Amino acid sequence: QVQVQESGGGSVQAGGSLRLSCTASGLTYSNYCMGWFSQPPGKDRKRVALIDSDGRTDIADSVKGRFTISQDNAKNVLYLQMDSLKPEDTAMYYCAADPRPNRIWGGFPKYWGQGTQVTVSS
């Protein structure tokens, strides 16, 4: 059974940094496409960053140059380094996984974590 768990959220001031972590049991990271999604209050969930099984990454334009996605396959941990945070980055952040890239690209990955809250104050 696959279980996904995020950690590392919190409250920071604008310009600050946070690093989110995602651990997943029951899967091998190198065989999965992994990603981070965000859902601001009252808005739809959107893709933030993806990394495929070959290590290729995709970052949303809204966070490009500020957020970095990476993973440690040996430890089965996915990271989202968030720098130069803005108030508009405030959202619940979810980790997701799917062995099929088209599903995670489409916003319908099979496995989701419970989410971790990020709040950025001005």
Side-chain angles (χ1 to χ4, degrees):
Q1 183 178 354
V2 175
Q3 291 186 319
V4 179
Q5 180 69 54
E6 308 90 342
S7 62
S11 298
V12 296
Q13 290 191 327
S17 297
L18 284 172
R19 188 176 78 160
L20 306 184
S21 299
C22 172
T23 56
S25 59
L27 61 83
T28 302
Y29 272 53
S30 59
N31 294 334
Y32 275 68
C33 188
M34 307 289 297
W36 291 97
F37 291 74
S38 68
Q39 187 167 19
K43 296 184 179 181
D44 293 334
R45 191 159 12 188
K46 61 182 180 180
R47 187 176 70 243
V48 176
L50 301 178
I51 184 166
D52 70 12
S53 57
D54 294 322
R56 293 170 296 196
T57 62
D58 181 79
I59 308 293
D61 289 342
S62 60
V63 302
K64 197 167 290 184
R66 299 189 297 119
F67 290 12
T68 304
I69 187 171
S70 62
Q71 66 184 26
D72 185 330
N73 288 340
K75 297 181 180 179
N76 266 15
V77 182
L78 178 74
Y79 300 103
L80 184 68
Q81 179 66 42
M82 310 165 69
D83 298 319
S84 302
L85 282 161
K86 303 176 180 180
E88 52 262 43
D89 296 321
T90 295
M92 186 72 78
Y93 283 76
Y94 296 90
C95 178
D98 201 295
R100 292 160 291 182
N102 61 312
R103 288 184 58 88
I104 202 168
W105 270 97
F108 301 101
K110 186 173 183 179
Y111 303 109
W112 291 96
Q114 294 297 310
T116 186
Q117 178 67 38
V118 171
T119 301
V120 185
S121 58
S122 57

